[in-house]
Amino acid sequence: MPASSRRRATLLLALQLGAGAAHAQASAAASAAASAAASAAAERGNWFDDPFVAATQGLPGCPVPDAPLLTEAEMQHETHWRAERGTSCFRSGRCRLPNAYLYDKEIVPRVVKAIEAAGTYANTSIWVEGQRRWVWLKGCVLPP
């Protein structure tokens, strides 16, 4: 149920119970506080600082693609498996860094430099996203 509907339902319930004005105000305040907490929990952020960089800006009407944003609940769900990615590789001596996501901050700038060096992306708006040594190019390009 959306927060505004919950708030209306709580206020309606408080009024239907015949509670006094003070009780209705307390219920409304509690409902507003619960709604604020729910919306704060639903705020999206780049909790893991995954690289998301604009490489080109040649098409001004191109909307910015979705960044790697997660709610706090999604972040908590992903924390464990993100922490263990690459750990066994590092412990066995096959990998330089202890986590696969740590390479992304090195890889994404290299991809941006490669796009700039190619010189053929003037009519594009491309964003580069990196996660776990994978790279995604997002955005808009004109047909050749």
Side-chain angles (χ1 to χ4, degrees):
M1 177 183 296
S4 60
S5 298
R6 270 197 310 258
R7 183 173 38 240
R8 278 190 229 120
T10 302
L11 289 173
L12 184 59
L13 179 62
L15 294 173
Q16 285 178 345
L17 292 175
H23 182 70
Q25 288 176 348
S27 294
S31 177
S35 295
S39 68
E43 286 184 28
R44 300 172 71 81
N46 189 353
W47 299 95
F48 300 107
D49 199 26
D50 291 326
F52 183 72
V53 194
T56 64
Q57 297 288 325
L59 292 176
C62 182
V64 176
D66 291 337
L69 303 178
L70 303 171
T71 64
E72 187 171 1
E74 292 169 329
M75 178 269 298
Q76 290 174 350
H77 182 281
E78 288 192 26
T79 298
H80 177 76
W81 68 267
R82 283 182 70 116
E84 65 183 17
R85 294 272 184 210
T87 302
S88 60
C89 179
F90 176 74
R91 292 178 73 194
S92 70
R94 293 179 291 135
C95 295
R96 178 174 52 91
L97 298 175
N99 187 287
Y101 292 91
L102 297 176
Y103 293 93
D104 299 331
K105 288 185 183 1
E106 298 172 2
I107 295 170
V108 168
R110 290 180 191 160
V111 171
V112 172
K113 284 182 183 178
I115 290 171
E116 291 170 350
T120 57
Y121 297 96
N123 293 327
T124 66
S125 288
I126 299 173
W127 284 261
V128 181
E129 177 183 343
Q131 284 186 3
R132 208 176 77 227
R133 294 191 257 184
W134 287 75
V135 175
W136 289 270
L137 301 179
K138 301 178 176 183
C140 305
V141 296
L142 290 177

